[in-house]
Structure formats: C-alpha cells, structure tokens
Amino acid sequence: NAGVTQTPKFRVLKTGQSMTLLCAQDMNHEYMYWYRQDPGMGLRLIHYSVGEGTTAKGEVPDGYNVSRLKKQNFLLGLESAAPSQTSVYFCASSYMVENTEAFFGQGTRLTVV
Amino acid sequence: AQSVTQLDSQVPVFEEAPVELRCNYSSSVSVYLFWYVQYPNQGLQLLLKYLSGSTLVKGINGFEAEFNKSQTSFHLRKPSVHISDTAEYFCAVSVSTSYGKLTFGQGTILTVHP
C-alpha cells in the first residue's frame, strides 16, 4: 500500500538550477496539493489540483509551476531555484469530498545553496 | 480567509503526565478541524478530525480534542503521554467549497521526557 510517494527524498541545488519534484498517489484521489514546510510557519499551500489537467495557485505560488497530466501524478517544478526555496516539500491527496482528510507523502528536503 | 494559531511552539512534559496542545482558529464560515502528527523525518498523519456533531472527538493513540465554537478553539488532549508521543503536532482548518485545502497552524513540538 504505497499511498502518496514523493521523489526524490533529498536534493541539493545550486542557485539558478531547475528541478522537478514528482508526486504519485495510488488511491484514485481527485484532489492533490503541494505544501512547503518551514520552521515556525507550519505548512503553506503552494499549488493544488482538483482533477486531471487542472491546477490552481495556493498561498505561496511564486517561483513554482505545476502540472497534472495524469490523475495519479502531480509535478512541482522550480525553474530557477533560490535560497528562499530551501524547505521541506510535502505532497498530499484527498477524495473529492469537502470534509475528508488529506493523505501526505514522506516529504522532499530541498536545499538551495 | 481562515487562520489558525497554535499557542505553544514547544511543550515539554514528563512521561505519564497529561498534556494539552492549544489551537485557536478564525473563520467567517463553518469549518472542519483537524489535528495531524509528524514524527521525525516523516510525513503528516491524521490524529483526529471534527466535521460536525459531538464536540468531543476521539482519535488514534489515545488523543482527543474538543471543539468549542464560542471560543473558536480545538484543543488536543491526552491524559497520559508516552515517550513515543514525542513529535510535532499541527492543527489545521478547511471550509466547504475550498477543495479540501488546509490552513495550518505553526506547529507545536511535544517532547516527552522519561
């Protein structure tokens, strides 16, 4: 039972480099989310998707892009990484029901130097 | 917009003592409330949730929380903690028509000492 799987788990980038974080879920969830976690700030929503082919901005979208070409996958891209994007990134997914819980991946720890 | 405030950033307790982690929220509409736990180097796991009905909600690992609408609070409690409860705890809120998006508090680090 994989649930929500994030790839990679750790990454170090140089300023200006690009990368893509992959999130895959095997629960047939419609909704998917990308959050970032920073000390003392909890988790903040970057982008989300309510279905295949759809994406929308969250609270802190600047510097990130996303794509949801397949229902089970949600990709988060950094086109030109900045030190301010050093964070732990979590993907989550949930059913298309308003009051249901979200299931989280294990996180990706990204350091931009 | 909604907001969540967790009133304590760190809570140290001794094993077998009771604990309360405090959470207050702000919203102009009805909310759904959640407590998540994050063990070191892991993702978030749901402890419990309040959707409607009884204001006392029981979750996993002996935790419970009470929804207080008049005080806009959703405090988490456990009568007797174990070393294994050491983790970071997050209170979160969502509202209907928000596509399940969560607004999180800042987190409370619970450290249980022997």
Side-chain angles (χ1 to χ4, degrees):
Chain A
N1 295 334
V4 179
T5 303
Q6 293 182 230
T7 310
K9 291 185 170 46
F10 303 93
R11 185 74 186 269
V12 178
L13 281 180
K14 293 183 178 180
T15 297
Q17 286 185 319
S18 64
M19 77 164 295
T20 300
L21 282 67
L22 172 63
C23 176
Q25 53 95 2
D26 62 0
M27 296 172 282
N28 202 34
H29 287 167
E30 288 289 341
Y31 297 165
M32 296 188 74
Y33 317 87
W34 276 107
Y35 292 89
R36 61 176 288 173
Q37 181 183 18
D38 301 292
M41 302 186 74
L43 281 77
R44 293 177 292 167
L45 183 66
I46 305 171
H47 286 281
Y48 66 101
S49 168
V50 299
E52 182 178 311
T54 74
T55 63
K57 294 180 180 179
E59 180 186 354
V60 288
D62 294 342
Y64 306 95
N65 57 74
V66 288
S67 64
R68 182 113 181 257
L69 299 180
K70 294 183 178 180
K71 184 177 182 179
Q72 64 268 34
N73 295 337
F74 195 30
L75 278 63
L76 177 71
L78 286 73
E79 290 186 347
S80 179
S84 60
Q85 294 177 303
T86 293
S87 186
V88 181
Y89 292 85
F90 286 99
C91 177
S93 68
S94 69
Y95 288 109
M96 193 172 60
V97 176
E98 295 300 336
N99 58 7
T100 189
E101 68 178 274
F103 293 82
F104 285 80
Q106 298 283 5
T108 296
R109 185 174 296 275
L110 175 66
T111 302
V112 182
V113 297
Chain B
Q2 302 76 43
S3 66
V4 178
T5 301
Q6 292 182 239
L7 299 166
D8 305 292
S9 59
Q10 297 191 51
V11 174
V13 295
F14 287 107
E15 195 172 18
E16 298 184 4
V19 70
E20 178 180 79
L21 306 184
R22 298 180 293 167
C23 172
N24 286 96
Y25 69 92
S26 173
S27 176
S28 58
V29 298
S30 296
V31 298
Y32 307 120
L33 292 156
F34 304 82
W35 275 100
Y36 283 86
V37 59
Q38 182 182 31
Y39 299 105
N41 299 314
Q42 294 189 26
L44 279 70
Q45 177 184 358
L46 182 71
L47 271 181
L48 49 79
K49 61 184 177 182
Y50 171 79
L51 306 179
S52 64
S54 173
T55 58
L56 184 62
V57 180
K58 294 188 183 298
I60 62 171
N61 301 339
F63 283 93
E64 62 181 33
E66 186 159 16
F67 171 60
N68 188 320
K69 188 175 182 179
S70 63
Q71 299 192 4
T72 61
S73 67
F74 190 54
H75 300 334
L76 181 70
R77 302 185 182 99
K78 187 170 183 178
S80 176
V81 294
H82 303 290
I83 298 288
S84 59
D85 292 322
T86 294
E88 189 162 16
Y89 293 79
F90 291 96
C91 182
V93 64
S94 71
V95 300
S96 62
T97 71
S98 70
Y99 304 107
K101 294 180 291 180
L102 293 166
T103 299
F104 285 88
Q106 300 89 333
T108 298
I109 297 173
L110 173 65
T111 304
V112 181
H113 299 284

